[in-house]
Each structure stands twice: as structure tokens, then as C-alpha cells.
Amino acid sequence: MKLQRKNRVRALAVGALAVSGALALTACGSDDTTGGNGGGGAAKASNIKCEGKGKLLASGSSAQKNAMDVWVQNYSGACKGTEINYQPTGSGAGVTTFLQGQTAFAGSDSALKPEEVTKSKQVCKGGQAIDLPMVGGPIAVGYNVPGVDDLVLDAPTLSKIFNSEITKWNDKAIQKLNPDAKLPDLKIQAFHRSDDSGTTDNFTKYLKAAGGWKHEPAKKWEGEGGQAASGSAGVSSQVKQTSGAISYFELSYATSSKIPTVKLNTGAKEPVEATVDNASKAISEAKQVGKGDDLALQLNYTTKADGAYPITLVTYEIACDKGNKAETLPATKSFLTYVSSKDGQAALKELGYAPLPTEIADKVRATVAKIS
């Protein structure tokens, strides 16, 4: 059963990638009017209220790309007249494009900064941009070490690896955490994101909070040394093909490419694996720090609860609370209503994402309903 499930998850993720084609996702390209496409959970066309016609442009987080692929495919089964084009350009680029008024909404793995909210008032006439949590999940630490298929690391060791202070896989610090592993005398090839990335922001927030990271957390990589690649697809591809490699990316990329992932020594009774359920346990500890309809969350990166995986992220869809463009408002609201619905959230788990906790999901649905 476990092998069958893994194969099914991989097939779903690969299928989702195929749907995206050249990263242009079109809601008019499917002949499936029932939403029964197998893409991470069939959408029921009767539960999707289609509003608006024409093209809806969006961009941002590559962390949610696999989720967005499936959402658009499912939405297309019901809404033939709407073309949705989501470009996974990275969180930083997505926010910039949105603030320039070029897209209807953006995806970001980090909440908006105060200055970005202020700037958004130029685009959101009479309102401002708000953060809507939509996708949750673990940031997996994937590795490629010949002969090692079970690896435990902790935050201090990860911080030193990604800051080029630990450079060999048989380093004493790694050996101490893995006394039974046959660690090779192999150079560590640490890969990080070249683009401004919310995944990087969340990963370095974890390193700072739990591992003594020497740099300030940011979307732009600040660590010393290492090698860079663009997007989650880029760094996961490098890990897959490079002996000695290690990097950070969403679990769906590890699952689809069969990349082994690190278990974390958090101080809990047992090392914690990067799984959807374990990430959900950590995300459930998040606190809302946004005001009013802004649902920005503060995650707990230092949890020591048994079975709670602390390297998590929440991807936000960023949209205007008021002042959305008349030509894109109906479709934007319709699409965000679907992705935040029970059907939309149910499509996530088999792709390696964590559906939103009920309390958070209810707030998101209520807020989306008020967008104008």
C-alpha cells in the first residue's frame, strides 16, 4: 500500500506538471466538464461558481506551483470561459508584479511587508493588499548521498552546512547525529535559490530561530558559499543529479523526483520526518499577526512537540481587499473561492501540501467573500 500511494502521488504531481505546459495554465484547454481529472482530487463542477470571462494573470511563489496546476485544471472543468495564467516566477517577483498593477493576484510564501502594503494602495483603489493563507506544507531538506537513505540533522548542523562551515558528509557533527550511517568522505554541495524566494525566507527563519544562523532571514540568499539555481524545480533538479548535494524545497518536489529527505532532530522524542501531517501539527501552532482582513500568520519554528515538523511555510494569495479591477474581480473572486473551499483544499494533501487548519480556512473563506 505504501508503495502504491507513493506511485500515485508521483503520478499526480507529474500529471500536474504536464498540465502546465509552458507554464501557461489555461482554463479553456480541458474537455473535462466534471472536474474528474485525477489531479490531486476531483473537483465537482457543481461546487464551483464561475464568474467572469477572459484572461486572469497571476504570478509568484513556485512553492505552490504543483498545487496551482491542479487547481487550474480542476477549475477549468467548470469554467470554460476563463483563462488563468499563473507564472511561478518566485515570491519576490510575484509581489513586485502585483504592486505594479500587472496581475490580478500574487502568490507569496512570505506575508507582505508594511511598506508593500502601503504601496499596494496605489493599485487597490480605496483599499489595500491583504494576505490570504492558501497553501501549507513542509519545506523538505532533500539530499543525494550515495549509500545513505536515512539521514538525521538538526538546526545548528544545517546552519553550518548552508553557511559552508561544514563541508564534508563525514563531518563529526553529522556522524554524531547518525552513528549507524556509513557517511562517505564526500564534499557537500549545498544549493540555494538564486531568485528572491519566500521558501528561502521561511527556511532561513527556521535556521535563525532554531540553529543560530548568522545572517538575517530574507527572500534573498545571504549565506556564504554554496551554489544557486532558480526556483524550487531548479534546486531539486540539482539535488537529483549531483552527488553530495543538499537543498531545501517543498515536499511535492521531493516526492515527484523520489529525493530522500532529512529527518530533523528537534528535541522531540524521535527525529521528525517531513510529511504533510507532521507539518500540519506545526502549522496548527501558528498565530494570526495580520490586522483585520489581513490573515498573515506567525509560524513556530522552534516547536519541540512530538511529530511536529518545524520547517514549514504558508503560501499566501495576495489580492486587494477593495479596489480590484472591474474586469478581473469576478474571476479572481470565483477562483479564490474555489481554491479556499473544502474541495480546493482537499486536492492538496496527495501532492505533498497541507490543507489549511479549519479555523484558518474558515477565516480565509469569509474574507474572500468580502473582496470587492
Side-chain angles (χ1 to χ4, degrees):
M1 288 297 291
K2 186 174 182 181
L3 179 60
Q4 290 175 345
R5 176 174 174 77
K6 284 185 176 180
N7 287 339
R8 186 184 178 208
V9 170
R10 180 172 184 270
L12 288 170
V14 171
L17 291 172
V19 171
S20 64
L23 300 183
L25 309 179
T26 59
C28 57
S30 171
D31 294 326
D32 185 355
T33 58
T34 66
N37 48 49
K44 298 179 181 178
S46 60
N47 292 340
I48 298 177
K49 185 178 180 181
C50 301
E51 298 285 352
K53 300 288 183 180
K55 182 178 291 186
L56 194 68
L57 300 178
S59 66
S61 166
S62 65
Q64 69 171 355
K65 178 188 180 299
N66 292 343
M68 191 62 72
D69 286 353
V70 169
W71 279 336
V72 172
Q73 185 184 16
N74 286 347
Y75 187 80
S76 72
C79 305
K80 298 292 187 179
T82 306
E83 179 183 344
I84 302 176
N85 187 316
Y86 180 83
Q87 297 287 334
T89 54
S91 297
V95 171
T96 297
T97 303
F98 174 78
L99 293 177
Q100 292 172 344
Q102 298 179 28
T103 52
F105 67 91
S108 177
D109 306 322
S110 297
L112 292 169
K113 298 176 181 178
E115 59 268 28
E116 292 171 333
V117 174
T118 299
K119 188 175 182 180
S120 73
K121 295 179 181 180
Q122 299 174 19
V123 176
C124 307
K125 303 302 182 182
Q128 65 181 42
I130 54 174
D131 299 287
L132 299 169
M134 208 67 74
V135 181
I139 300 173
V141 180
Y143 65 95
N144 180 347
V145 183
V148 180
D149 55 11
D150 188 2
L151 183 67
V152 176
L153 296 174
D154 58 14
T157 304
L158 280 170
S159 294
K160 292 177 181 178
I161 287 173
F162 280 93
N163 203 45
S164 301
E165 297 171 60
I166 293 178
T167 59
K168 289 290 188 73
W169 278 109
N170 62 350
D171 187 275
K172 291 181 179 179
I174 302 177
Q175 289 180 336
K176 185 176 179 180
L177 291 164
N178 300 273
D180 298 325
K182 295 181 179 179
L183 297 168
D185 182 14
L186 178 67
K187 181 180 178 180
I188 295 175
Q189 306 279 356
F191 286 89
H192 58 264
R193 293 278 292 271
S194 60
D195 51 319
D196 285 2
S197 161
T199 308
T200 294
D201 191 23
N202 283 274
F203 181 61
T204 53
K205 282 178 179 176
Y206 163 75
L207 295 182
K208 184 73 171 182
W213 182 243
K214 297 180 179 180
H215 311 278
E216 286 304 311
K219 291 179 182 177
K220 182 178 180 180
W221 183 258
E222 299 291 346
E224 298 176 13
Q227 303 177 63
S230 179
S232 295
V235 290
S236 61
S237 177
Q238 290 296 327
V239 171
K240 180 70 175 179
Q241 66 189 25
T242 306
S243 179
I246 186 170
S247 189
Y248 55 93
F249 37 82
E250 295 67 44
L251 181 61
S252 61
Y253 289 89
T255 300
S256 62
S257 297
K258 295 184 177 180
I259 298 172
T261 60
V262 168
K263 294 178 182 177
L264 294 178
N265 182 336
T266 64
K269 292 180 181 178
E270 299 290 340
V272 185
E273 186 177 357
T275 69
V276 170
D277 290 338
N278 290 347
S280 293
K281 289 181 181 179
I283 292 173
S284 67
E285 298 182 23
K287 298 179 180 179
Q288 181 181 338
V289 292
K291 297 179 180 179
D293 287 334
D294 190 297
L295 303 180
L297 302 173
Q298 183 178 51
L299 300 170
N300 181 7
Y301 297 103
T302 59
T303 179
K304 295 182 180 180
D306 290 339
Y309 183 84
I311 317 181
T312 60
L313 61 74
V314 171
T315 295
Y316 301 92
E317 309 310 332
I318 294 170
C320 297
D321 59 354
K322 298 177 183 178
N324 287 276
K325 294 178 181 179
E327 61 269 27
T328 59
L329 172 61
T332 298
K333 193 168 182 177
S334 170
F335 183 68
L336 294 181
T337 296
Y338 161 60
V339 301
S340 63
S341 71
K342 291 182 179 179
D343 285 344
Q345 291 294 303
L348 297 178
K349 191 170 183 179
E350 291 178 333
L351 291 174
Y353 298 103
L356 296 173
T358 301
E359 182 179 352
I360 296 174
D362 287 344
K363 290 182 179 180
V364 171
R365 292 163 192 156
T367 302
V368 169
K370 294 191 293 182
I371 288 177
S372 62

